[in-house]
Amino acid sequence: LYDNSGQNYRLEYGKSQSRYPLPWPGVVLNATSNWWGTWDPQQIRGTIHDWENDSNLGLVNFKDFLSSDGGDVATPLEGGEYLVGRVPNGTVLDGIYQVPATFVIPSGQHLEMTAGTLLKFESGARFLVKSGGRVTCNGTTDSPIVFTSAASEPSAGSWTGIYFEENATGHLKNCEIAYASYGVQVYKSTVTIEDSILHHNTDGLYARYNCTVTVTGTTLRNNENGVRAYAHQYGISSNQKNVPDVS
């Protein structure tokens, strides 16, 4: 799937009788185990037109892209493996992962991470928990789960962040979240952040619209904004370190 003059994979949407665009209903399309003319995931992403370009579209999952035509699955030069698109329900992440584009936990699916898991996000990548999706991070004090930038010299905004859509749920325990535009963004959903550290993000925690965020034993430091809460219906209960109580 390569050397096409436009996009290698282009999604579009049709029109209803009233001539308004019809969005794709959260569809993830399987384009796994392909050779794309390159093993560079950012170059592959540039040849795909999907949800990353237009939120009305579905998402192309190019997981397990090949290192050459008919070759093996590509792996990062720094070690570990690439995390792309989505994984099956009940997957447990335990290792080192490089995330070149948006990674999705779809509706009705649960993803778990164990202590010591490291996720390194490239520019523009995000960790997206869709409506009805659930994520559980079980780090420990000695082996936290780390969400950070893949850049050699990262700064705030080097990747997009963790985003919980409406009616998603999450429990982040002993996590370190750094160098994102927003460390954790919560929209009309329920999330618990426990014994974690959010640092060097544009917004450490961004709570939007009628959400419930419980933060305990957690440090938010060296962010542009520690906590940013938006609109008239939200609830945040906290006993964070160095962060004002907002409720």
Side-chain angles (χ1 to χ4, degrees):
L1 190 61
Y2 62 97
D3 287 347
N4 298 289
S5 59
Q7 271 90 30
N8 283 327
Y9 207 131
R10 181 180 179 87
L11 303 186
E12 297 182 352
Y13 48 82
K15 304 287 184 177
S16 67
Q17 292 182 351
S18 59
R19 297 187 178 182
Y20 287 103
L22 292 173
W24 293 62
V27 169
V28 178
L29 295 168
N30 182 9
T32 62
S33 303
N34 279 303
W35 167 241
W36 297 81
T38 176
W39 55 267
D40 185 327
Q42 291 285 34
Q43 291 184 23
I44 296 173
R45 162 51 50 202
T47 71
I48 298 172
H49 184 85
D50 64 355
W51 182 88
E52 295 274 4
N53 309 94
D54 183 338
S55 60
N56 289 306
L57 300 174
L59 181 72
V60 174
N61 179 9
F62 60 96
K63 181 179 183 292
D64 293 338
F65 53 91
L66 303 182
S67 58
S68 62
D69 191 1
D72 297 327
V73 173
T75 56
L77 294 175
E78 301 82 3
E81 59 184 281
Y82 286 108
L83 192 62
V84 177
R86 58 180 281 185
V87 294
N89 188 35
T91 293
V92 178
L93 297 184
D94 181 10
I96 300 173
Y97 302 90
Q98 189 153 329
V99 189
T102 294
F103 177 72
V104 178
I105 294 89
S107 177
Q109 296 201 2
H110 177 218
L111 176 70
E112 184 178 351
M113 297 184 209
T114 62
T117 299
L118 170 62
L119 287 82
K120 300 184 291 184
F121 293 81
E122 298 187 20
S123 177
R126 75 169 68 183
F127 187 90
L128 175 62
V129 187
K130 299 286 286 183
S131 177
R134 180 164 63 100
V135 61
T136 304
C137 295
N138 293 312
T140 65
T141 302
D142 294 332
S143 297
I145 294 168
V146 178
F147 298 78
T148 190
S149 168
S152 58
E153 297 182 0
S155 58
S158 290
W159 61 289
T160 304
I162 303 171
Y163 181 31
F164 291 90
E165 281 192 349
E166 183 175 2
N167 295 323
T169 56
H171 187 179
L172 311 179
K173 179 177 175 60
N174 283 303
C175 293
E176 178 183 349
I177 304 165
Y179 301 112
S181 295
Y182 46 80
V184 179
Q185 183 175 175
V186 184
Y187 175 73
K188 294 185 177 180
S189 51
T190 302
V191 174
T192 298
I193 305 172
E194 183 180 354
D195 299 330
S196 297
I197 179 170
L198 286 66
H199 66 93
H200 292 95
N201 305 288
T202 304
D203 293 319
L205 169 62
Y206 183 19
R208 302 171 56 216
Y209 293 107
N210 196 30
C211 60
T212 300
V213 186
T214 303
V215 184
T216 60
T218 291
T219 297
L220 290 91
R221 62 165 175 81
N222 299 110
N223 305 287
E224 181 175 326
N225 301 298
V227 174
R228 183 154 69 107
Y230 181 79
H232 63 282
Q233 287 185 317
Y234 63 88
I236 302 177
S237 62
S238 64
N239 66 346
Q240 314 98 304
K241 304 171 185 176
N242 307 321
V243 179
D245 189 290
V246 182
S247 58

